[in-house]
Amino acid sequence: MRYADLHVHSLASDGTCTPKELVKEGVKRKLSAIAIVDHDTVEAIAQANESAQGTDLEIIPGIELTAQHENREVHILGYFLDYKNNALLETLKLLQQNRISRAYKIIHNLEGLGIKLNPETVFNISGTATVGRMHIARALVKDGHVNSVSEAFFKYIGDSSPAYVLGFRLSPREAIKIINDAGGVAVLAHPYILHDDALVAEFVNDGLEGLEVYYPEHSQSMVNFYLDLARRLNLLITGGSDFHGQAKPEIKLGMVKIPFELVEKLRQARK
Ligand code: AMP
Ligand code: ZN
Ligand code: FE
Ligand code: FE
């Protein structure tokens, strides 16, 4: 059987592996394809393609866009998009600037909680990547404010924690349109974080075509539920590990993988 992991982050966002390392790991784990879905950037894809030349590993171009619905964060995955599309690259530039100002806001909130974090510590960790909460979490660990990334999220920067800032103002509909306009297929990431499955049907009206059914945090009963939901709404089925390298060491590449025929169905939906 051939398998694919369709949820992988690189150093271009908040993973810790270079594109080349991801290819090496994908080959080692005998995957047929990996999709690189960095937050708000497609920067790693060209290099991954180059590294995968001459291997049996296919690199599926992708992205994970952060959108907002009411007071909730919604992650929209885009697959098979044209990662050289100019309009896409222009939009991503704006989103990346938003991320920088959001990082400052979170740092400001932390200060209000008595945690003095130098922005430079965060930006030294993120480097040229799109900055995000994972980098802030790692900075909090580095300066000894918390013992682990998960403690940083739990205490300070998780979605319902006191220093959290939502940041972006893309609606799910806008995120889906950005993906579609670049030829990609829009898929709802890790639906369990929504805590409101009725929203999925709403997003389908906005152009959503797939559901990330297989995900490390999804129990077997949740998988069954989402399989059924995907069938009822006529959605494509995807899945992946949300691999972040050393930033989330308990997650291994390919820990969640899907049969390759689901990739072929996804490919057929490309614009
Ligand atoms: P951002 O795009 O800056 O909002 O950050 C999103 C990243 O934070 C994702 O890669 C998630 O894996 C990570 N994340 C969100 N919530 C948690 C959590 N409770 N524990 C660990 N990582 C988290
Ligand atoms: Zn991430
Ligand atoms: Fe996500
Ligand atoms: Fe992710």
Side-chain angles (χ1 to χ4, degrees):
M1 273 282 271
R2 301 175 71 204
Y3 291 99
D5 182 340
L6 297 190
H7 198 143
V8 177
H9 294 272
S10 82
L11 260 182
S13 65
D14 56 358
T16 59
C17 294
T18 62
K20 194 173 171 181
E21 287 165 344
L22 290 177
V23 168
K24 199 172 156 205
E25 194 65 19
V27 169
K28 194 176 114 193
R29 298 194 180 266
K30 300 193 164 44
L31 293 167
S32 294
I34 58 171
I36 299 183
V37 294
D38 279 313
H39 303 284
D40 301 338
T41 179
V42 289
E43 209 58 47
I45 294 165
Q47 220 187 311
N49 274 336
E50 212 168 286
S51 302
Q53 290 288 324
T55 74
D56 291 330
L57 183 74
E58 176 182 353
I59 302 299
I60 294 165
I63 197 158
E64 184 171 16
L65 291 177
T66 304
Q68 176 194 341
H69 180 81
E70 286 156 6
N71 57 353
R72 261 181 264 256
E73 216 178 278
V74 179
H75 291 185
I76 307 282
L77 297 159
Y79 292 109
F80 290 110
L81 73 184
D82 170 15
Y83 60 94
K84 293 178 181 163
N85 181 286
N86 274 326
L88 173 73
L89 296 174
E90 282 304 312
T91 307
L92 296 182
K93 221 182 273 171
L94 289 176
L95 295 178
Q96 287 156 21
Q97 284 159 4
N98 278 341
R99 280 183 166 275
I100 293 170
S101 47
R102 171 191 184 229
Y104 279 106
K105 286 181 198 157
I106 294 176
I107 291 166
H108 178 80
N109 283 355
L110 285 167
E111 199 174 338
L113 298 169
I115 306 276
K116 275 212 179 350
L117 191 61
N118 190 335
E120 245 177 62
T121 313
V122 175
F123 291 111
N124 281 338
I125 292 173
S126 62
T128 57
T130 55
V131 66
R133 283 183 285 162
M134 193 68 94
H135 304 114
I136 296 173
R138 284 161 62 193
L140 287 168
V141 174
K142 186 165 185 277
D143 282 1
H145 296 294
V146 289
N147 290 316
S148 66
V149 160
S150 51
E151 189 186 341
F153 275 93
F154 181 71
K155 274 196 178 158
Y156 301 116
I157 59 173
D159 294 13
S160 1
S161 307
Y164 177 69
V165 174
L166 193 69
F168 311 113
R169 295 290 174 258
L170 272 187
S171 66
R173 181 199 293 262
E174 286 165 331
I176 292 166
K177 187 173 186 311
I178 290 166
I179 290 164
N180 287 163
D181 287 350
V185 187
V187 173
L188 179 65
H190 39 67
Y192 84 102
I193 65 160
L194 281 183
H195 300 295
D196 182 359
D197 298 312
L199 284 178
V200 179
E202 253 183 70
F203 300 156
V204 170
N205 284 331
D206 295 335
L208 189 82
E209 291 180 87
L211 194 61
E212 190 175 49
V213 169
Y214 300 98
Y215 190 76
E217 302 290 326
H218 290 175
S219 65
Q220 188 57 51
S221 66
M222 287 156 87
V223 166
N224 292 341
F225 175 83
Y226 289 125
L227 280 175
D228 187 57
L229 186 63
R231 182 151 24 94
R232 278 187 280 135
L233 296 174
N234 196 22
L235 291 170
L236 294 157
I237 293 159
T238 74
S241 65
D242 212 349
F243 180 71
H244 282 76
Q246 282 312 305
K248 274 192 190 173
E250 69 285 4
I251 301 287
K252 310 294 178 200
L253 187 72
M255 201 169 99
V256 170
K257 57 189 179 187
I258 59 167
F260 200 73
E261 62 231 42
L262 293 176
V263 177
E264 292 302 355
K265 284 188 181 156
L266 192 63
R267 196 195 309 274
Q268 280 160 24
R270 123 181 100 167
K271 308 290 166 278

